[in-house]
Amino acid sequence: MTPSTQPTALPGQPLPEPDGAPRPAEVLAELHETARRIAGNVERVLVGKPDVVRVALVTLLAEGHLLVEDVPGVGKTSLAKALARSIDCTVSRIQFTPDLLPSDITGVSIYNRQTTDFEFRPGPVFANIVVGDEINRASPKTQSALLECMEEHQVTVDGRTFTLDSPFMVIATQNPIEMEGTYALPEAQRDRFTARVSIGYPDPQAELAMVDEHAGHDPLADLRPVSDAAQVRSLVHAVRQVHLSPEIRRYCVELVSATRRLPELRLGASPRSTLQLVRAARAQAALVGRDFVVPDDIHAVAVPVLAHRLVLTAEAQAARRSPADLVRGLLQRVPVPQGGSGPGQPGPYQRNGLRGTR
């Protein structure tokens, strides 16, 4: 009998990679280097906001969508455009206005007199990265045109379903202050955004550096792609392989379930948010070069992923409680799991402030 040529491993140990296949360490090194180049590109435009750029990269690698919410003039659209220009893929931009129609986003079927048939003209949603500027200025009817494509990566028009190319990411901006003439995003729409970030005002040194760099020219004009769609698809696939232990799974479920029992909330986080939290934690672990998730990865993404999905009661709003503060309180109260982190169960988590080790 011919001996088997399949790779073997000791009991309890993972199989070695087949010949020619990239090793996990090589994949993580490529991911880290690509993320570093994209972050460097974006930070040339958005000065002094590394945490915001990190959340944007986590959302991209988690196959999610990003909501950028802040006051005017802090760089919301610049962040979206810089991230889009850093990747050599198809990009479209939609300026949301009150008169925008759903067909202006998804596309429309037009009658062709030569062929005596209807032809479908794709809308701007048929792109790898869709930048939606001031999304809350469009009516709820128009906003709903994004529901199917954000969740299912497909568009249905006139009974025909069209699949969107991968990667697909919606980066939307909105102004939470000027509410006149705007429509608040419904809960179903907000829940489809993996994360929400607020950029905030820069510190004086960062603002001075911005004045020096932006006064003479627009840095967006100088940005060149440092990655492409094929590489992003490969990195997204690598993030899916990041190990998630049963203890971490239970921790995510307990954390999300705890939001549904808070008396300050009318609506807690949905089961979809549990899935998004897990995906974002995997991406966060991969960004720091780890092939397994630890509780600190959950802590790093919990507020951006969960806070915008929570609906406060009237009493909590009157008391000026914020969803982000409630999530931070849960992170302090929900017990952190103790147990192995990697596939080989190397040992318990060691807590030292907010650092987890093997």
Side-chain angles (χ1 to χ4, degrees):
M1 180 179 296
T2 304
S4 173
T5 58
Q6 293 295 323
T8 60
L10 295 175
Q13 297 296 323
L15 287 173
E17 295 292 325
D19 292 340
R23 301 297 192 266
E26 298 173 0
V27 175
L28 286 176
E30 179 190 3
L31 188 150
H32 189 271
E33 177 60 23
T34 303
R36 185 191 64 81
R37 293 198 304 266
I38 296 176
N41 240 18
V42 177
E43 288 177 2
R44 291 171 56 189
V45 177
L46 192 69
V47 181
K49 298 294 179 180
D51 288 339
V52 174
V53 177
R54 174 186 60 84
V55 174
L57 289 175
V58 165
T59 306
L60 173 67
L61 295 175
E63 301 179 276
H65 310 287
L66 182 66
L67 179 61
V68 188
E69 182 180 274
D70 216 321
V71 297
V74 295
K76 299 187 298 296
T77 307
S78 296
L79 167 65
K81 294 172 69 175
L83 182 61
R85 292 192 182 188
S86 298
I87 303 171
D88 187 12
C89 61
T90 57
V91 179
S92 65
R93 183 178 185 275
I94 307 171
Q95 182 65 54
F96 283 80
T97 55
D99 60 345
L100 197 70
L101 298 176
S103 58
D104 295 328
I105 297 176
T106 59
V108 64
S109 295
I110 299 177
Y111 182 72
N112 188 329
R113 291 190 297 177
Q114 294 180 345
T115 62
T116 66
D117 199 0
F118 284 90
E119 293 181 353
F120 177 67
R121 301 290 178 86
V125 77
F126 285 84
N128 294 119
I129 296 182
V130 179
V131 179
D133 198 13
E134 295 190 321
I135 187 175
N136 57 336
R137 290 205 175 275
S139 66
K141 178 177 68 174
T142 302
Q143 293 177 13
S144 66
L146 291 173
L147 294 178
E148 181 184 12
C149 64
M150 290 177 66
E151 178 67 18
E152 304 172 45
H153 289 196
Q154 66 180 29
V155 174
T156 302
V157 179
D158 294 336
R160 299 171 60 192
T161 299
F162 304 89
T163 303
L164 300 174
D165 292 336
S166 177
F168 175 71
M169 181 181 185
V170 174
I171 308 175
T173 69
Q174 72 170 356
N175 174 11
I177 303 299
E178 184 187 358
M179 302 306 293
E180 183 178 354
T182 64
Y183 302 86
L185 295 182
E187 285 76 11
Q189 182 79 55
R190 291 205 311 269
D191 200 44
R192 280 165 167 78
F193 284 100
T194 300
R196 180 188 64 181
V197 294
S198 295
I199 297 176
Y201 292 115
D203 59 58
Q205 290 184 344
E207 194 163 4
L208 181 61
M210 180 190 68
V211 170
D212 293 339
E213 295 180 13
H214 294 219
H217 68 287
D218 182 7
L220 273 172
D222 299 333
L223 288 189
R224 295 293 179 267
V226 295
S227 183
D228 56 29
Q231 187 176 36
V232 171
R233 282 194 296 268
S234 175
L235 299 181
V236 166
H237 177 73
V239 167
R240 295 175 188 165
Q241 312 307 314
V242 172
H243 178 72
L244 192 74
S245 68
E247 293 82 6
I248 293 293
R249 291 191 185 97
R250 283 193 292 271
Y251 182 51
C252 292
V253 171
E254 291 170 1
L255 191 61
V256 173
S257 298
T259 65
R260 303 164 192 162
R261 299 189 295 270
L262 289 175
E264 297 91 345
L265 296 180
R266 289 194 295 115
L267 182 66
S270 67
R272 182 191 285 122
S273 63
T274 309
L275 297 176
Q276 299 287 1
L277 182 62
V278 167
R279 293 172 183 170
R282 279 183 161 138
Q284 171 67 26
L287 275 181
V288 298
R290 215 183 313 104
D291 62 352
F292 59 94
V293 178
V294 299
D296 293 329
D297 298 319
I298 308 294
H299 285 223
V301 300
V303 173
V305 171
L306 297 179
H308 67 286
R309 307 171 192 270
L310 309 180
V311 180
L312 295 171
T313 62
E315 293 78 7
Q317 291 178 350
R320 297 187 180 276
R321 302 296 301 274
S322 74
D325 290 338
L326 296 178
V327 174
R328 294 188 188 99
L330 289 178
L331 293 176
Q332 298 295 325
R333 295 196 299 271
V334 176
V336 175
Q338 301 294 323
S341 53
Q345 300 296 316
Y349 297 118
Q350 302 295 328
R351 297 294 297 173
N352 181 12
L354 283 181
R355 298 189 178 276
T357 60
R358 296 181 78 171

